[in-house]
Amino acid sequence: MKPTRTGERDSSKAAPNAAQRAAVDLGLVVAAHGRRGLLAQPDGTRLPYAVRGRHLKVYCGDRVFFAAAGAGAGEPVIVESIAPRANELQRLSGRGGLPETIAANVTHLIVVMAALPAPDLYLTDRYLCAARLMGATSAIAWNKADLACVPTTELAGYAALGSPVFPVSAITGAGIVALRAWIGAGTAILVGQSGVGKSSLLNALVPGADAITAQISLSSDEGRHTTTTSVLHALEGGGGLLDTPGVRDFVPAIPERTAISSGFVEIAEFGCQCRFTDCRHLRESFCAVQEAVNDGLIEARRYESYRRLMNLVRQSDGRTD
Ligand code: GDP
Ligand code: ZN
């Protein structure tokens, strides 16, 4: 348990002392809205929480230690500290802005694509790269399969790179069971362009999800409209699905340029054989990656995504090399 902070005073109520707060439990944050939200106890019971102090930043998916002592009926329990995170899902806030955390402990990233809006494979590669860098497993959900079949020639390569492709339809329900089985007991998030069907799929996987999110957002808003309530919906039988309604079509932040090659599984693999250990696989000689592209062992389109992403992150780094 974190030591008691003596510098903080809540003028409206006497803060519970250290002895009262000795009983500390572990909870899973299932809705986060600024400094308040909802947590789920191991038995599934949900409790409103408030965060102690100003420095603790709590996100959906966080496992938190909280103290119930001192909280009256209907009063929020107090989040004292956060269990170490496996990862954080971040997006760039605005143009060139700092990365902003959306959720913690995300295990599965599902890139939703469809025939309409037209697929953007560079964007897909960007998502898959971000997933790898944060240590999450990724898959592609080809939605609106009732309208158009999976374009196998374009997407065949992804399964070989470790991201299975699930044909699904949020409208007919086709493929939903298989997608749900893939998530297992993990914490998943649906990402992708606006209009591909993320919210429809969310509702197909978690019946009533939109209504639940709206209800939680309403009860936690208290007249403010600036912060987004993110919600972790429980999936029947275990696992969960994250939803951040205000930023459903976000693009995850890529932390640094040097890491990008690790986000492309096949480039990382061939990259071990380059002559220079700091090879960026762009114009260097004796580069096993460029050779593999020339030999058709790495898909030229994927390599192009890598180059574009390297350029993008270089620009936002402000570097000129
Ligand atoms: P989002 O912006 O990614 O959240 O996409 P929405 O869930 O709002 O869906 C965008 C549009 O696609 C809506 O008009 C949906 O009705 C439609 N849509 C979503 N899923 C499917 C599907 O599986 N089949 C068909 N035919 N239309 C779908
Ligand atoms: Zn190289």
Side-chain angles (χ1 to χ4, degrees):
M1 192 175 125
K2 262 187 125 177
T4 312
R5 299 168 65 115
T6 48
E8 290 163 20
R9 292 276 180 274
D10 183 338
S11 54
S12 60
K13 290 171 212 81
N17 63 34
Q20 283 171 311
R21 287 197 276 106
V24 170
D25 293 309
L26 190 62
L28 171 68
V29 174
V30 294
H33 180 98
R35 316 201 56 70
R36 288 177 176 257
L38 280 177
L39 55 80
Q41 292 177 286
D43 68 358
T45 326
R46 291 171 172 225
L47 296 169
Y49 72 77
V51 178
R52 172 171 300 282
R54 263 186 229 123
H55 303 291
L56 217 52
K57 293 231 180 311
V58 171
Y59 304 108
C60 235
D62 261 330
R63 299 197 171 271
V64 293
F65 296 98
F66 67 95
E75 290 281 302
V77 296
I78 304 298
V79 168
E80 304 270 350
S81 62
I82 306 167
R85 289 178 184 135
N87 62 25
E88 285 179 31
L89 177 66
Q90 296 186 317
R91 67 159 184 155
L92 287 181
S93 55
R95 211 180 151 83
L98 290 171
E100 175 193 357
T101 299
I102 289 184
N105 302 320
V106 179
T107 59
H108 294 64
L109 193 125
I110 302 168
V111 184
V112 184
M113 298 171 74
L116 262 178
D120 177 347
L121 296 181
Y122 165 61
L123 186 63
T124 301
D125 290 335
R126 228 173 131 171
Y127 283 127
L128 298 182
C129 175
R132 254 187 96 75
L133 292 182
M134 65 186 281
T137 309
S138 56
I140 292 170
W142 178 260
N143 191 33
K144 311 193 190 183
D146 53 305
L147 298 180
C149 297
V150 177
T152 36
T153 43
E154 281 184 310
L155 300 189
Y158 286 113
L161 296 174
S163 305
V165 181
F166 293 96
V168 294
S169 170
I171 301 279
T172 67
I176 299 296
V177 171
L179 186 61
R180 193 268 168 268
W182 179 77
I183 299 169
T187 297
I189 187 161
L190 300 162
V191 296
Q193 297 174 76
S194 178
V196 289
K198 295 179 298 295
S199 38
S200 308
L201 275 181
L202 173 74
N203 283 285
L205 287 157
V206 182
D210 266 355
I212 299 167
T213 303
Q215 196 197 352
I216 292 175
S217 303
L218 197 70
S219 60
S220 60
D221 193 45
E222 294 171 2
R224 293 160 297 163
H225 297 281
T226 45
T227 31
T228 314
T229 302
S230 32
V231 178
L232 174 56
H233 294 282
L235 285 163
E236 212 181 306
L241 206 50
L242 281 156
D243 186 27
T244 44
V247 289
R248 274 180 182 159
D249 52 353
F250 74 101
V251 179
I254 303 283
E256 52 184 296
R257 202 175 176 220
T258 47
I260 294 175
S261 62
S262 329
F264 285 74
V265 57
E266 70 279 51
I267 291 178
E269 201 178 298
F270 281 98
C272 303
Q273 298 160 31
C274 296
R275 168 79 60 90
F276 306 109
T277 47
D278 60 350
C279 186
R280 293 171 307 172
H281 327 303
L282 296 174
R283 284 180 299 272
E284 292 87 345
S285 38
F286 309 110
C287 171
V289 170
Q290 292 170 75
E291 268 172 40
V293 175
N294 291 336
D295 295 346
L297 299 172
I298 289 179
E299 220 182 309
R301 198 201 53 72
R302 283 271 297 171
Y303 178 64
E304 198 43 44
S305 288
Y306 166 76
R307 286 170 50 108
R308 271 180 79 178
L309 203 47
M310 285 290 275
N311 275 326
L312 184 85
V313 175
R314 178 175 60 187
Q315 278 159 15
S316 61
D317 273 358
R319 288 170 50 172
T320 52
D321 62 330

